[in-house]
Amino acid sequence: MSFRKRKDGYWIVDYRDRNGQKHSRSFGKDPDGKRRAKEFDLQIKLKKVRGEELSLKQKDGVYIDELCQLWVDDKKAQGRKMGWIKDWVSVFNNYFAPDLAEKPCAMITQADIMKVIGVKYQGSSQSTRNRYIGYLRSIFQFGLDHGYIQSNPLGIWKKGKEVRRSSALTLNDLKKIQNNSPDHLAWAIEVAWNIPVRPGVLDLFSLRYDTNVDYSGKKIIVFHTKVGKKATIRCSNYFIGKINESEKLSKSGYLIEYKGKPVTHLRSALARAAGPKGASLSYSVCMYDIRHLWITTMLNQGIEPSTIAYLSGTSVRMILKNYYEPHSADRAKASKVLPRL
């Protein structure tokens, strides 16, 4: 808890709220910014000594870091899972708070937010930018609905058009990656291929032997968090046998672990396994590509889109929109049966 000057000249106060969550507030670059930062730091220290609650509203209105904390507290009270909330708080504190928390919400404009996005997320995908702007919009709307602020600066914002990511991964290349993977990654690939949930902390990496595996029924019970639906995934004798073997070696209880602890991502390990020192693929690969390949493989095998949608936790509409391409044999047949004019 102290005030400091960032490399770009902004005066910053770092402090922790009543829940121990770290926050940073910016007060500008000028001498007045330094004065206000010092005053705020002293106020925080004094309240800490007295055991008083930190004020969530100053005379010039609520600041965005305070509004974000109120929003997070509300999500916790609703019983929302904490994984994505913690990720967002980290992003907010590192990328948005330093530039947006120097003035009250009433003075923040959409242009201010887009400026931060343009600088901090210049090389990011449109979907990433949309997601974070969407979070900020929800926070402002929460503040408006609860009377903390008078207007939502992102009230008229519209999502930018997202370009669907095209995956070049093939089954042969996936096998090459697996053959060049360390044991924990090779097993994670096996799990992701047989259980087509989204490859995130709340889905794939949350699977446990005691809560998700049904050996007697040879099935995995999953919960697709994005759509809020459960699904039962039947397993082959081969795969359910491998799960049984892996559980005997597990220390964490999670299907996917590394050195006895559950994992949250496999980006670096997968990049190495697919890169020059591994499978030597000419394109980048992420865990989501395995899910994409599973869906397209199931379509090519003639599995009903409704079944694929159920197992993978999406909709038939999204399957047809993003994955479905009529089989080449059917396209050739269509040209042959067309009558001549």
Side-chain angles (χ1 to χ4, degrees):
M1 183 173 60
S2 62
F3 76 99
R4 59 187 173 84
K5 189 175 184 180
R6 270 184 8 196
K7 291 182 179 180
D8 57 7
Y10 283 94
W11 287 96
I12 303 292
V13 175
D14 299 317
Y15 67 99
R16 294 185 182 275
D17 61 28
R18 58 183 177 275
N19 298 317
Q21 178 66 52
K22 182 179 178 181
H23 297 271
S24 295
R25 175 170 294 175
S26 175
F27 292 87
K29 298 180 180 181
D30 55 16
D32 186 59
K34 179 180 180 180
R35 177 188 60 78
R36 290 188 294 117
K38 186 175 182 180
E39 289 178 355
F40 183 74
D41 181 50
L42 290 174
Q43 290 175 15
I44 294 294
K45 290 178 178 177
L46 182 60
K47 288 181 179 293
K48 292 279 188 179
V49 170
R50 293 176 176 175
E52 299 175 356
E53 289 285 339
L54 300 184
S55 174
L56 289 172
K57 190 170 184 178
Q58 295 192 18
K59 61 181 181 180
D60 49 355
V62 172
Y63 284 70
I64 191 172
D65 57 340
E66 297 167 332
L67 189 59
C68 182
Q69 183 60 52
L70 288 168
W71 180 78
V72 168
D73 290 343
D74 183 69
K75 296 301 179 186
K76 290 180 180 179
Q78 294 176 17
R80 301 291 290 272
K81 293 190 175 182
M82 291 303 300
W84 70 271
I85 295 178
K86 289 181 179 179
D87 289 343
W88 162 245
V89 168
S90 176
V91 168
F92 176 82
N93 286 334
N94 290 324
Y95 293 96
F96 293 102
D99 292 295
L100 297 178
E102 65 178 32
K103 53 187 177 183
C105 293
M107 296 179 63
I108 296 176
T109 66
Q110 180 170 314
D112 294 329
I113 296 168
M114 294 307 170
K115 182 178 179 181
V116 175
I117 291 290
V119 173
K120 302 292 179 63
Y121 291 95
Q122 183 176 9
S124 300
S125 66
Q126 185 63 51
S127 61
T128 298
R129 293 194 291 271
N130 283 345
R131 181 167 66 255
Y132 291 146
I133 297 173
Y135 285 162
L136 288 172
R137 184 183 184 184
S138 296
I139 290 170
F140 284 123
Q141 190 59 46
F142 166 84
L144 179 61
D145 293 342
H146 288 77
Y148 297 118
I149 58 177
Q150 300 302 312
S151 63
N152 185 344
L154 291 171
I156 61 172
W157 170 77
K158 301 294 183 183
K159 283 186 177 181
K161 185 176 181 181
E162 298 180 9
V163 178
R164 181 167 62 91
R165 186 180 186 274
S166 179
S167 173
L169 184 64
T170 65
L171 185 56
N172 285 335
D173 284 348
L174 182 59
K175 290 178 180 177
K176 290 180 183 178
I177 295 173
Q178 191 178 35
N179 291 335
N180 286 276
S181 297
D183 291 343
H184 75 285
L185 177 59
W187 171 238
I189 291 173
E190 188 83 25
V191 173
W193 180 245
N194 284 273
I195 307 174
V197 295
R198 290 173 178 80
V201 176
L202 301 181
D203 291 74
L204 180 66
F205 299 124
S206 71
L207 296 177
R208 292 182 56 88
Y209 296 101
D210 55 356
T211 57
N212 298 101
V213 180
D214 178 357
Y215 288 110
S216 61
K218 298 180 182 178
K219 58 189 179 184
I220 307 294
I221 311 299
V222 302
F223 183 76
H224 297 290
T225 55
K226 185 173 182 179
V227 295
K229 293 182 179 180
K230 283 187 176 181
T232 300
I233 300 174
R234 302 288 177 179
C235 300
S236 65
N237 291 334
Y238 169 76
F239 182 61
I240 202 70
K242 293 199 69 172
I243 291 179
N244 192 15
E245 292 175 6
S246 67
E247 183 177 9
K248 296 174 182 177
L249 301 175
S250 175
K251 295 181 180 178
S252 67
Y254 289 86
L255 266 69
I256 300 175
E257 65 177 25
Y258 178 62
K259 292 184 178 180
K261 296 182 179 180
V263 302
T264 57
H265 68 86
L266 291 165
R267 289 187 293 269
S268 299
L270 185 61
R272 287 192 294 270
K277 296 183 179 180
S280 299
L281 302 187
S282 60
Y283 54 90
S284 62
V285 177
C286 65
M287 289 296 293
Y288 209 95
D289 290 331
I290 301 176
R291 171 181 164 87
H292 178 96
L293 179 61
W294 183 92
I295 293 175
T296 54
T297 300
M298 292 298 101
L299 284 169
N300 289 337
Q301 292 293 327
I303 303 300
E304 285 290 332
S306 59
T307 301
I308 298 172
Y310 167 79
L311 294 174
S312 58
T314 186
S315 66
V316 173
R317 183 180 65 84
M318 292 303 293
I319 292 289
L320 298 178
K321 177 182 177 181
N322 296 323
Y323 298 96
Y324 181 72
E325 182 180 355
H327 196 277
S328 59
D330 292 330
R331 297 198 299 268
K333 181 180 178 181
S335 66
K336 291 180 180 179
V337 301
L338 181 68
R340 294 178 62 179
L341 292 178

